[in-house]
PDB file of all heavy atoms in Angstrom:
ATOM      1  N   PRO A  21       4.184  19.047  -5.533  1.00  0.00           N
ATOM      2  CA  PRO A  21       4.751  19.934  -4.513  1.00  0.00           C
ATOM      3  C   PRO A  21       3.891  21.163  -4.234  1.00  0.00           C
ATOM      4  O   PRO A  21       4.296  22.027  -3.449  1.00  0.00           O
ATOM      5  CB  PRO A  21       6.078  20.349  -5.132  1.00  0.00           C
ATOM      6  CG  PRO A  21       5.774  20.435  -6.590  1.00  0.00           C
ATOM      7  CD  PRO A  21       4.777  19.328  -6.856  1.00  0.00           C
ATOM      8  N   LEU A  22       2.731  21.243  -4.856  1.00  0.00           N
ATOM      9  CA  LEU A  22       1.908  22.451  -4.745  1.00  0.00           C
ATOM     10  C   LEU A  22       0.821  22.254  -3.699  1.00  0.00           C
ATOM     11  O   LEU A  22      -0.123  21.474  -3.885  1.00  0.00           O
ATOM     12  CB  LEU A  22       1.283  22.799  -6.095  1.00  0.00           C
ATOM     13  CG  LEU A  22       2.265  23.024  -7.257  1.00  0.00           C
ATOM     14  CD1 LEU A  22       1.516  23.420  -8.505  1.00  0.00           C
ATOM     15  CD2 LEU A  22       3.314  24.073  -6.891  1.00  0.00           C
ATOM     16  N   ILE A  23       0.941  22.995  -2.593  1.00  0.00           N
ATOM     17  CA  ILE A  23      -0.075  22.941  -1.552  1.00  0.00           C
ATOM     18  C   ILE A  23      -1.394  23.450  -2.132  1.00  0.00           C
ATOM     19  O   ILE A  23      -1.463  24.512  -2.742  1.00  0.00           O
ATOM     20  CB  ILE A  23       0.345  23.792  -0.344  1.00  0.00           C
ATOM     21  CG1 ILE A  23       1.635  23.239   0.261  1.00  0.00           C
ATOM     22  CG2 ILE A  23      -0.769  23.838   0.694  1.00  0.00           C
ATOM     23  CD1 ILE A  23       1.529  21.841   0.833  1.00  0.00           C
ATOM     24  N   GLY A  24      -2.442  22.659  -1.942  1.00  0.00           N
ATOM     25  CA  GLY A  24      -3.753  22.995  -2.495  1.00  0.00           C
ATOM     26  C   GLY A  24      -4.067  22.229  -3.758  1.00  0.00           C
ATOM     27  O   GLY A  24      -5.223  22.060  -4.121  1.00  0.00           O
ATOM     28  N   ALA A  25      -3.022  21.758  -4.434  1.00  0.00           N
ATOM     29  CA  ALA A  25      -3.218  20.951  -5.642  1.00  0.00           C
ATOM     30  C   ALA A  25      -2.963  19.484  -5.315  1.00  0.00           C
ATOM     31  O   ALA A  25      -3.878  18.685  -5.186  1.00  0.00           O
ATOM     32  CB  ALA A  25      -2.315  21.441  -6.763  1.00  0.00           C
ATOM     33  N   GLY A  26      -1.674  19.124  -5.131  1.00  0.00           N
ATOM     34  CA  GLY A  26      -1.346  17.735  -4.833  1.00  0.00           C
ATOM     35  C   GLY A  26      -1.640  17.321  -3.411  1.00  0.00           C
ATOM     36  O   GLY A  26      -1.798  16.126  -3.128  1.00  0.00           O
ATOM     37  N   LEU A  27      -1.729  18.284  -2.490  1.00  0.00           N
ATOM     38  CA  LEU A  27      -1.932  17.984  -1.069  1.00  0.00           C
ATOM     39  C   LEU A  27      -2.554  19.180  -0.380  1.00  0.00           C
ATOM     40  O   LEU A  27      -2.211  20.329  -0.670  1.00  0.00           O
ATOM     41  CB  LEU A  27      -0.587  17.665  -0.404  1.00  0.00           C
ATOM     42  CG  LEU A  27      -0.585  17.429   1.107  1.00  0.00           C
ATOM     43  CD1 LEU A  27      -1.229  16.087   1.449  1.00  0.00           C
ATOM     44  CD2 LEU A  27       0.841  17.479   1.658  1.00  0.00           C
ATOM     45  N   PHE A  28      -3.469  18.898   0.547  1.00  0.00           N
ATOM     46  CA  PHE A  28      -3.997  19.952   1.411  1.00  0.00           C
ATOM     47  C   PHE A  28      -4.533  19.321   2.678  1.00  0.00           C
ATOM     48  O   PHE A  28      -5.196  18.282   2.632  1.00  0.00           O
ATOM     49  CB  PHE A  28      -5.111  20.753   0.728  1.00  0.00           C
ATOM     50  CG  PHE A  28      -5.458  22.008   1.470  1.00  0.00           C
ATOM     51  CD1 PHE A  28      -4.601  23.097   1.453  1.00  0.00           C
ATOM     52  CD2 PHE A  28      -6.640  22.108   2.201  1.00  0.00           C
ATOM     53  CE1 PHE A  28      -4.905  24.262   2.145  1.00  0.00           C
ATOM     54  CE2 PHE A  28      -6.954  23.264   2.891  1.00  0.00           C
ATOM     55  CZ  PHE A  28      -6.086  24.356   2.868  1.00  0.00           C
ATOM     56  N   VAL A  29      -4.225  19.932   3.821  1.00  0.00           N
ATOM     57  CA  VAL A  29      -4.652  19.425   5.119  1.00  0.00           C
ATOM     58  C   VAL A  29      -5.186  20.582   5.956  1.00  0.00           C
ATOM     59  O   VAL A  29      -4.540  21.625   6.068  1.00  0.00           O
ATOM     60  CB  VAL A  29      -3.490  18.741   5.871  1.00  0.00           C
ATOM     61  CG1 VAL A  29      -3.968  18.218   7.223  1.00  0.00           C
ATOM     62  CG2 VAL A  29      -2.905  17.600   5.049  1.00  0.00           C
ATOM     63  N   ASP A  30      -6.362  20.388   6.537  1.00  0.00           N
ATOM     64  CA  ASP A  30      -6.979  21.353   7.440  1.00  0.00           C
ATOM     65  C   ASP A  30      -7.412  20.591   8.681  1.00  0.00           C
ATOM     66  O   ASP A  30      -8.277  19.720   8.605  1.00  0.00           O
ATOM     67  CB  ASP A  30      -8.174  22.013   6.758  1.00  0.00           C
ATOM     68  CG  ASP A  30      -8.819  23.113   7.591  1.00  0.00           C
ATOM     69  OD1 ASP A  30      -8.785  23.008   8.840  1.00  0.00           O
ATOM     70  OD2 ASP A  30      -9.376  24.056   7.019  1.00  0.00           O
ATOM     71  N   ASN A  31      -6.824  20.898   9.815  1.00  0.00           N
ATOM     72  CA  ASN A  31      -7.073  20.117  11.022  1.00  0.00           C
ATOM     73  C   ASN A  31      -8.527  20.167  11.487  1.00  0.00           C
ATOM     74  O   ASN A  31      -8.974  19.299  12.233  1.00  0.00           O
ATOM     75  CB  ASN A  31      -6.162  20.607  12.155  1.00  0.00           C
ATOM     76  CG  ASN A  31      -5.538  19.461  12.929  1.00  0.00           C
ATOM     77  OD1 ASN A  31      -5.208  18.420  12.353  1.00  0.00           O
ATOM     78  ND2 ASN A  31      -5.365  19.642  14.234  1.00  0.00           N
ATOM     79  N   GLU A  32      -9.268  21.177  11.049  1.00  0.00           N
ATOM     80  CA  GLU A  32     -10.676  21.260  11.429  1.00  0.00           C
ATOM     81  C   GLU A  32     -11.537  20.284  10.644  1.00  0.00           C
ATOM     82  O   GLU A  32     -12.579  19.843  11.127  1.00  0.00           O
ATOM     83  CB  GLU A  32     -11.208  22.677  11.188  1.00  0.00           C
ATOM     84  CG  GLU A  32     -10.621  23.734  12.099  1.00  0.00           C
ATOM     85  CD  GLU A  32     -11.234  25.091  11.852  1.00  0.00           C
ATOM     86  OE1 GLU A  32     -12.044  25.217  10.892  1.00  0.00           O
ATOM     87  OE2 GLU A  32     -10.911  26.021  12.600  1.00  0.00           O
ATOM     88  N   ILE A  33     -11.091  19.943   9.444  1.00  0.00           N
ATOM     89  CA  ILE A  33     -11.944  19.177   8.524  1.00  0.00           C
ATOM     90  C   ILE A  33     -11.321  17.844   8.133  1.00  0.00           C
ATOM     91  O   ILE A  33     -11.883  16.771   8.360  1.00  0.00           O
ATOM     92  CB  ILE A  33     -12.236  19.986   7.240  1.00  0.00           C
ATOM     93  CG1 ILE A  33     -12.847  21.335   7.599  1.00  0.00           C
ATOM     94  CG2 ILE A  33     -13.148  19.193   6.308  1.00  0.00           C
ATOM     95  CD1 ILE A  33     -14.155  21.262   8.364  1.00  0.00           C
ATOM     96  N   GLY A  34     -10.156  17.890   7.495  1.00  0.00           N
ATOM     97  CA  GLY A  34      -9.529  16.679   6.990  1.00  0.00           C
ATOM     98  C   GLY A  34      -8.436  17.019   6.009  1.00  0.00           C
ATOM     99  O   GLY A  34      -8.015  18.168   5.884  1.00  0.00           O
ATOM    100  N   GLY A  35      -7.990  16.013   5.295  1.00  0.00           N
ATOM    101  CA  GLY A  35      -6.933  16.191   4.316  1.00  0.00           C
ATOM    102  C   GLY A  35      -7.248  15.462   3.033  1.00  0.00           C
ATOM    103  O   GLY A  35      -8.094  14.559   2.997  1.00  0.00           O
ATOM    104  N   ALA A  36      -6.558  15.846   1.963  1.00  0.00           N
ATOM    105  CA  ALA A  36      -6.723  15.188   0.666  1.00  0.00           C
ATOM    106  C   ALA A  36      -5.411  15.247  -0.083  1.00  0.00           C
ATOM    107  O   ALA A  36      -4.602  16.158   0.107  1.00  0.00           O
ATOM    108  CB  ALA A  36      -7.826  15.852  -0.152  1.00  0.00           C
ATOM    109  N   CYS A  37      -5.194  14.266  -0.941  1.00  0.00           N
ATOM    110  CA  CYS A  37      -4.040  14.268  -1.832  1.00  0.00           C
ATOM    111  C   CYS A  37      -4.481  13.734  -3.186  1.00  0.00           C
ATOM    112  O   CYS A  37      -5.550  13.130  -3.320  1.00  0.00           O
ATOM    113  CB  CYS A  37      -2.885  13.452  -1.266  1.00  0.00           C
ATOM    114  SG  CYS A  37      -3.268  11.730  -0.890  1.00  0.00           S
ATOM    115  N   ALA A  38      -3.648  13.981  -4.183  1.00  0.00           N
ATOM    116  CA  ALA A  38      -4.018  13.660  -5.561  1.00  0.00           C
ATOM    117  C   ALA A  38      -2.954  12.798  -6.210  1.00  0.00           C
ATOM    118  O   ALA A  38      -1.793  12.777  -5.802  1.00  0.00           O
ATOM    119  CB  ALA A  38      -4.192  14.940  -6.370  1.00  0.00           C
ATOM    120  N   THR A  39      -3.358  12.094  -7.252  1.00  0.00           N
ATOM    121  CA  THR A  39      -2.438  11.362  -8.091  1.00  0.00           C
ATOM    122  C   THR A  39      -2.967  11.403  -9.518  1.00  0.00           C
ATOM    123  O   THR A  39      -4.148  11.654  -9.750  1.00  0.00           O
ATOM    124  CB  THR A  39      -2.267   9.908  -7.603  1.00  0.00           C
ATOM    125  OG1 THR A  39      -1.216   9.277  -8.333  1.00  0.00           O
ATOM    126  CG2 THR A  39      -3.547   9.106  -7.790  1.00  0.00           C
ATOM    127  N   GLY A  40      -2.085  11.186 -10.472  1.00  0.00           N
ATOM    128  CA  GLY A  40      -2.510  11.262 -11.863  1.00  0.00           C
ATOM    129  C   GLY A  40      -1.794  12.382 -12.591  1.00  0.00           C
ATOM    130  O   GLY A  40      -0.702  12.803 -12.195  1.00  0.00           O
ATOM    131  N   LEU A  41      -2.400  12.896 -13.639  1.00  0.00           N
ATOM    132  CA  LEU A  41      -1.771  13.932 -14.442  1.00  0.00           C
ATOM    133  C   LEU A  41      -1.848  15.273 -13.724  1.00  0.00           C
ATOM    134  O   LEU A  41      -2.924  15.838 -13.517  1.00  0.00           O
ATOM    135  CB  LEU A  41      -2.440  14.029 -15.812  1.00  0.00           C
ATOM    136  CG  LEU A  41      -1.743  14.942 -16.816  1.00  0.00           C
ATOM    137  CD1 LEU A  41      -0.340  14.416 -17.142  1.00  0.00           C
ATOM    138  CD2 LEU A  41      -2.553  15.066 -18.093  1.00  0.00           C
ATOM    139  N   GLY A  42      -0.682  15.795 -13.337  1.00  0.00           N
ATOM    140  CA  GLY A  42      -0.630  16.960 -12.470  1.00  0.00           C
ATOM    141  C   GLY A  42      -1.261  18.209 -13.036  1.00  0.00           C
ATOM    142  O   GLY A  42      -1.847  19.006 -12.300  1.00  0.00           O
ATOM    143  N   GLU A  43      -1.154  18.399 -14.343  1.00  0.00           N
ATOM    144  CA  GLU A  43      -1.702  19.623 -14.930  1.00  0.00           C
ATOM    145  C   GLU A  43      -3.209  19.741 -14.680  1.00  0.00           C
ATOM    146  O   GLU A  43      -3.725  20.823 -14.394  1.00  0.00           O
ATOM    147  CB  GLU A  43      -1.405  19.658 -16.427  1.00  0.00           C
ATOM    148  CG  GLU A  43       0.017  20.014 -16.782  1.00  0.00           C
ATOM    149  CD  GLU A  43       1.029  18.898 -16.561  1.00  0.00           C
ATOM    150  OE1 GLU A  43       0.613  17.758 -16.242  1.00  0.00           O
ATOM    151  OE2 GLU A  43       2.238  19.148 -16.698  1.00  0.00           O
ATOM    152  N   ALA A  44      -3.921  18.625 -14.776  1.00  0.00           N
ATOM    153  CA  ALA A  44      -5.366  18.646 -14.535  1.00  0.00           C
ATOM    154  C   ALA A  44      -5.674  18.924 -13.074  1.00  0.00           C
ATOM    155  O   ALA A  44      -6.659  19.605 -12.751  1.00  0.00           O
ATOM    156  CB  ALA A  44      -5.986  17.320 -14.966  1.00  0.00           C
ATOM    157  N   VAL A  45      -4.849  18.400 -12.174  1.00  0.00           N
ATOM    158  CA  VAL A  45      -5.043  18.649 -10.744  1.00  0.00           C
ATOM    159  C   VAL A  45      -4.774  20.110 -10.415  1.00  0.00           C
ATOM    160  O   VAL A  45      -5.516  20.742  -9.648  1.00  0.00           O
ATOM    161  CB  VAL A  45      -4.140  17.724  -9.906  1.00  0.00           C
ATOM    162  CG1 VAL A  45      -4.311  18.022  -8.418  1.00  0.00           C
ATOM    163  CG2 VAL A  45      -4.463  16.262 -10.188  1.00  0.00           C
ATOM    164  N   ILE A  46      -3.732  20.678 -10.989  1.00  0.00           N
ATOM    165  CA  ILE A  46      -3.400  22.082 -10.749  1.00  0.00           C
ATOM    166  C   ILE A  46      -4.547  22.979 -11.205  1.00  0.00           C
ATOM    167  O   ILE A  46      -4.948  23.914 -10.504  1.00  0.00           O
ATOM    168  CB  ILE A  46      -2.096  22.462 -11.476  1.00  0.00           C
ATOM    169  CG1 ILE A  46      -0.901  21.738 -10.855  1.00  0.00           C
ATOM    170  CG2 ILE A  46      -1.876  23.976 -11.433  1.00  0.00           C
ATOM    171  CD1 ILE A  46       0.375  21.854 -11.666  1.00  0.00           C
ATOM    172  N   ARG A  47      -5.080  22.696 -12.382  1.00  0.00           N
ATOM    173  CA  ARG A  47      -6.136  23.550 -12.933  1.00  0.00           C
ATOM    174  C   ARG A  47      -7.402  23.529 -12.084  1.00  0.00           C
ATOM    175  O   ARG A  47      -8.228  24.453 -12.190  1.00  0.00           O
ATOM    176  CB  ARG A  47      -6.460  23.117 -14.368  1.00  0.00           C
ATOM    177  CG  ARG A  47      -5.398  23.514 -15.386  1.00  0.00           C
ATOM    178  CD  ARG A  47      -5.856  23.289 -16.813  1.00  0.00           C
ATOM    179  NE  ARG A  47      -5.846  21.898 -17.192  1.00  0.00           N
ATOM    180  CZ  ARG A  47      -4.836  21.288 -17.830  1.00  0.00           C
ATOM    181  NH1 ARG A  47      -3.739  21.972 -18.118  1.00  0.00           N
ATOM    182  NH2 ARG A  47      -4.911  20.017 -18.170  1.00  0.00           N
ATOM    183  N   SER A  48      -7.551  22.510 -11.263  1.00  0.00           N
ATOM    184  CA  SER A  48      -8.758  22.413 -10.431  1.00  0.00           C
ATOM    185  C   SER A  48      -8.506  22.737  -8.966  1.00  0.00           C
ATOM    186  O   SER A  48      -9.430  22.702  -8.159  1.00  0.00           O
ATOM    187  CB  SER A  48      -9.340  20.999 -10.528  1.00  0.00           C
ATOM    188  OG  SER A  48      -8.441  20.053  -9.957  1.00  0.00           O
ATOM    189  N   ALA A  49      -7.244  23.049  -8.601  1.00  0.00           N
ATOM    190  CA  ALA A  49      -6.881  23.196  -7.177  1.00  0.00           C
ATOM    191  C   ALA A  49      -7.453  22.014  -6.407  1.00  0.00           C
ATOM    192  O   ALA A  49      -8.078  22.147  -5.366  1.00  0.00           O
ATOM    193  CB  ALA A  49      -7.389  24.520  -6.607  1.00  0.00           C
ATOM    194  N   GLY A  50      -7.175  20.816  -6.925  1.00  0.00           N
ATOM    195  CA  GLY A  50      -7.933  19.624  -6.582  1.00  0.00           C
ATOM    196  C   GLY A  50      -8.021  19.260  -5.117  1.00  0.00           C
ATOM    197  O   GLY A  50      -9.119  19.083  -4.578  1.00  0.00           O
ATOM    198  N   SER A  51      -6.881  19.127  -4.427  1.00  0.00           N
ATOM    199  CA  SER A  51      -6.931  18.654  -3.046  1.00  0.00           C
ATOM    200  C   SER A  51      -7.609  19.661  -2.127  1.00  0.00           C
ATOM    201  O   SER A  51      -8.362  19.274  -1.227  1.00  0.00           O
ATOM    202  CB  SER A  51      -5.515  18.343  -2.552  1.00  0.00           C
ATOM    203  OG  SER A  51      -5.000  17.215  -3.230  1.00  0.00           O
ATOM    204  N   ALA A  52      -7.351  20.936  -2.319  1.00  0.00           N
ATOM    205  CA  ALA A  52      -8.020  21.946  -1.509  1.00  0.00           C
ATOM    206  C   ALA A  52      -9.524  21.909  -1.724  1.00  0.00           C
ATOM    207  O   ALA A  52     -10.309  22.058  -0.779  1.00  0.00           O
ATOM    208  CB  ALA A  52      -7.470  23.331  -1.833  1.00  0.00           C
ATOM    209  N   MET A  53      -9.940  21.667  -2.959  1.00  0.00           N
ATOM    210  CA  MET A  53     -11.366  21.619  -3.248  1.00  0.00           C
ATOM    211  C   MET A  53     -12.030  20.387  -2.634  1.00  0.00           C
ATOM    212  O   MET A  53     -13.180  20.452  -2.189  1.00  0.00           O
ATOM    213  CB  MET A  53     -11.591  21.644  -4.760  1.00  0.00           C
ATOM    214  CG  MET A  53     -11.244  22.970  -5.419  1.00  0.00           C
ATOM    215  SD  MET A  53     -12.240  24.367  -4.809  1.00  0.00           S
ATOM    216  CE  MET A  53     -11.094  25.113  -3.616  1.00  0.00           C
ATOM    217  N   VAL A  54     -11.304  19.283  -2.582  1.00  0.00           N
ATOM    218  CA  VAL A  54     -11.845  18.094  -1.917  1.00  0.00           C
ATOM    219  C   VAL A  54     -12.088  18.394  -0.438  1.00  0.00           C
ATOM    220  O   VAL A  54     -13.142  18.063   0.115  1.00  0.00           O
ATOM    221  CB  VAL A  54     -10.893  16.895  -2.077  1.00  0.00           C
ATOM    222  CG1 VAL A  54     -11.338  15.736  -1.174  1.00  0.00           C
ATOM    223  CG2 VAL A  54     -10.853  16.429  -3.533  1.00  0.00           C
ATOM    224  N   VAL A  55     -11.119  19.032   0.200  1.00  0.00           N
ATOM    225  CA  VAL A  55     -11.278  19.366   1.622  1.00  0.00           C
ATOM    226  C   VAL A  55     -12.427  20.339   1.824  1.00  0.00           C
ATOM    227  O   VAL A  55     -13.239  20.188   2.761  1.00  0.00           O
ATOM    228  CB  VAL A  55      -9.960  19.941   2.192  1.00  0.00           C
ATOM    229  CG1 VAL A  55     -10.163  20.457   3.618  1.00  0.00           C
ATOM    230  CG2 VAL A  55      -8.868  18.882   2.174  1.00  0.00           C
ATOM    231  N   GLU A  56     -12.539  21.326   0.968  1.00  0.00           N
ATOM    232  CA  GLU A  56     -13.639  22.288   1.108  1.00  0.00           C
ATOM    233  C   GLU A  56     -14.993  21.627   0.871  1.00  0.00           C
ATOM    234  O   GLU A  56     -15.989  21.992   1.501  1.00  0.00           O
ATOM    235  CB  GLU A  56     -13.440  23.453   0.142  1.00  0.00           C
ATOM    236  CG  GLU A  56     -12.298  24.370   0.529  1.00  0.00           C
ATOM    237  CD  GLU A  56     -12.397  24.846   1.972  1.00  0.00           C
ATOM    238  OE1 GLU A  56     -13.377  25.549   2.294  1.00  0.00           O
ATOM    239  OE2 GLU A  56     -11.520  24.487   2.787  1.00  0.00           O
ATOM    240  N   THR A  57     -15.020  20.652  -0.022  1.00  0.00           N
ATOM    241  CA  THR A  57     -16.272  19.922  -0.258  1.00  0.00           C
ATOM    242  C   THR A  57     -16.645  19.096   0.966  1.00  0.00           C
ATOM    243  O   THR A  57     -17.828  18.997   1.331  1.00  0.00           O
ATOM    244  CB  THR A  57     -16.128  19.029  -1.503  1.00  0.00           C
ATOM    245  OG1 THR A  57     -15.738  19.845  -2.610  1.00  0.00           O
ATOM    246  CG2 THR A  57     -17.444  18.354  -1.856  1.00  0.00           C
ATOM    247  N   MET A  58     -15.657  18.518   1.655  1.00  0.00           N
ATOM    248  CA  MET A  58     -15.942  17.849   2.920  1.00  0.00           C
ATOM    249  C   MET A  58     -16.415  18.854   3.964  1.00  0.00           C
ATOM    250  O   MET A  58     -17.303  18.551   4.781  1.00  0.00           O
ATOM    251  CB  MET A  58     -14.700  17.102   3.419  1.00  0.00           C
ATOM    252  CG  MET A  58     -14.341  15.864   2.633  1.00  0.00           C
ATOM    253  SD  MET A  58     -13.140  14.783   3.475  1.00  0.00           S
ATOM    254  CE  MET A  58     -11.650  15.785   3.431  1.00  0.00           C
ATOM    255  N   ARG A  59     -15.842  20.049   3.953  1.00  0.00           N
ATOM    256  CA  ARG A  59     -16.269  21.090   4.894  1.00  0.00           C
ATOM    257  C   ARG A  59     -17.761  21.398   4.722  1.00  0.00           C
ATOM    258  O   ARG A  59     -18.473  21.702   5.688  1.00  0.00           O
ATOM    259  CB  ARG A  59     -15.460  22.368   4.687  1.00  0.00           C
ATOM    260  CG  ARG A  59     -15.707  23.425   5.772  1.00  0.00           C
ATOM    261  CD  ARG A  59     -15.049  24.750   5.396  1.00  0.00           C
ATOM    262  NE  ARG A  59     -13.619  24.613   5.156  1.00  0.00           N
ATOM    263  CZ  ARG A  59     -12.707  24.648   6.121  1.00  0.00           C
ATOM    264  NH1 ARG A  59     -13.058  24.782   7.384  1.00  0.00           N
ATOM    265  NH2 ARG A  59     -11.425  24.521   5.806  1.00  0.00           N
ATOM    266  N   ASN A  60     -18.215  21.299   3.492  1.00  0.00           N
ATOM    267  CA  ASN A  60     -19.621  21.580   3.199  1.00  0.00           C
ATOM    268  C   ASN A  60     -20.531  20.385   3.436  1.00  0.00           C
ATOM    269  O   ASN A  60     -21.722  20.435   3.104  1.00  0.00           O
ATOM    270  CB  ASN A  60     -19.763  22.072   1.756  1.00  0.00           C
ATOM    271  CG  ASN A  60     -19.169  23.450   1.564  1.00  0.00           C
ATOM    272  OD1 ASN A  60     -19.151  24.258   2.486  1.00  0.00           O
ATOM    273  ND2 ASN A  60     -18.681  23.736   0.367  1.00  0.00           N
ATOM    274  N   GLY A  61     -19.969  19.299   3.988  1.00  0.00           N
ATOM    275  CA  GLY A  61     -20.805  18.190   4.425  1.00  0.00           C
ATOM    276  C   GLY A  61     -20.677  16.896   3.655  1.00  0.00           C
ATOM    277  O   GLY A  61     -21.286  15.896   4.036  1.00  0.00           O
ATOM    278  N   ALA A  62     -19.886  16.882   2.590  1.00  0.00           N
ATOM    279  CA  ALA A  62     -19.772  15.663   1.795  1.00  0.00           C
ATOM    280  C   ALA A  62     -18.902  14.629   2.498  1.00  0.00           C
ATOM    281  O   ALA A  62     -17.930  14.965   3.157  1.00  0.00           O
ATOM    282  CB  ALA A  62     -19.189  15.977   0.420  1.00  0.00           C
ATOM    283  N   GLU A  63     -19.276  13.351   2.348  1.00  0.00           N
ATOM    284  CA  GLU A  63     -18.427  12.262   2.812  1.00  0.00           C
ATOM    285  C   GLU A  63     -17.145  12.247   1.980  1.00  0.00           C
ATOM    286  O   GLU A  63     -17.109  12.748   0.848  1.00  0.00           O
ATOM    287  CB  GLU A  63     -19.155  10.924   2.647  1.00  0.00           C
ATOM    288  CG  GLU A  63     -20.381  10.772   3.531  1.00  0.00           C
ATOM    289  CD  GLU A  63     -20.009  10.584   4.990  1.00  0.00           C
ATOM    290  OE1 GLU A  63     -19.004   9.898   5.271  1.00  0.00           O
ATOM    291  OE2 GLU A  63     -20.713  11.134   5.854  1.00  0.00           O
ATOM    292  N   PRO A  64     -16.054  11.668   2.512  1.00  0.00           N
ATOM    293  CA  PRO A  64     -14.777  11.700   1.779  1.00  0.00           C
ATOM    294  C   PRO A  64     -14.849  11.190   0.351  1.00  0.00           C
ATOM    295  O   PRO A  64     -14.354  11.850  -0.576  1.00  0.00           O
ATOM    296  CB  PRO A  64     -13.862  10.831   2.650  1.00  0.00           C
ATOM    297  CG  PRO A  64     -14.376  11.051   4.031  1.00  0.00           C
ATOM    298  CD  PRO A  64     -15.874  11.142   3.881  1.00  0.00           C
ATOM    299  N   GLU A  65     -15.451  10.015   0.133  1.00  0.00           N
ATOM    300  CA  GLU A  65     -15.504   9.505  -1.235  1.00  0.00           C
ATOM    301  C   GLU A  65     -16.323  10.415  -2.133  1.00  0.00           C
ATOM    302  O   GLU A  65     -15.955  10.682  -3.282  1.00  0.00           O
ATOM    303  CB  GLU A  65     -16.083   8.092  -1.273  1.00  0.00           C
ATOM    304  CG  GLU A  65     -16.099   7.522  -2.688  1.00  0.00           C
ATOM    305  CD  GLU A  65     -16.712   6.136  -2.764  1.00  0.00           C
ATOM    306  OE1 GLU A  65     -16.170   5.213  -2.132  1.00  0.00           O
ATOM    307  OE2 GLU A  65     -17.729   5.992  -3.465  1.00  0.00           O
ATOM    308  N   LYS A  66     -17.440  10.926  -1.622  1.00  0.00           N
ATOM    309  CA  LYS A  66     -18.286  11.803  -2.421  1.00  0.00           C
ATOM    310  C   LYS A  66     -17.564  13.102  -2.747  1.00  0.00           C
ATOM    311  O   LYS A  66     -17.683  13.629  -3.870  1.00  0.00           O
ATOM    312  CB  LYS A  66     -19.585  12.105  -1.678  1.00  0.00           C
ATOM    313  CG  LYS A  66     -20.570  12.919  -2.500  1.00  0.00           C
ATOM    314  CD  LYS A  66     -21.015  12.159  -3.745  1.00  0.00           C
ATOM    315  CE  LYS A  66     -22.050  12.937  -4.545  1.00  0.00           C
ATOM    316  NZ  LYS A  66     -22.454  12.210  -5.781  1.00  0.00           N
ATOM    317  N   ALA A  67     -16.800  13.627  -1.800  1.00  0.00           N
ATOM    318  CA  ALA A  67     -16.043  14.849  -2.052  1.00  0.00           C
ATOM    319  C   ALA A  67     -15.033  14.627  -3.177  1.00  0.00           C
ATOM    320  O   ALA A  67     -14.882  15.466  -4.077  1.00  0.00           O
ATOM    321  CB  ALA A  67     -15.328  15.298  -0.780  1.00  0.00           C
ATOM    322  N   CYS A  68     -14.333  13.484  -3.136  1.00  0.00           N
ATOM    323  CA  CYS A  68     -13.394  13.150  -4.213  1.00  0.00           C
ATOM    324  C   CYS A  68     -14.127  13.038  -5.551  1.00  0.00           C
ATOM    325  O   CYS A  68     -13.638  13.530  -6.581  1.00  0.00           O
ATOM    326  CB  CYS A  68     -12.680  11.844  -3.896  1.00  0.00           C
ATOM    327  SG  CYS A  68     -11.590  11.894  -2.451  1.00  0.00           S
TER     328      CYS A  68
END
């Protein structure tokens, strides 16, 4: 339920979601970081 961890969407770039052990995802702000990595030019799989 945490925006930026389990889910993040930016209409300029893309979206990402997470699955697995939530504590590890929270500690990394995972989905937001995937989107930001795509913003910096990475392909979706590479960003993940």
Side-chain angles (χ1 to χ4, degrees):
L22 302 183
I23 298 296
L27 175 72
F28 192 73
V29 180
D30 184 329
N31 224 35
E32 292 183 355
I33 305 300
C37 57
T39 188
L41 188 63
E43 284 76 7
V45 178
I46 292 169
R47 286 190 285 265
S48 66
S51 292
M53 291 299 99
V54 170
V55 173
E56 289 308 297
T57 304
M58 288 194 292
R59 189 189 303 275
N60 290 330
E63 294 288 322
E65 182 182 298
K66 185 63 177 178
C68 294

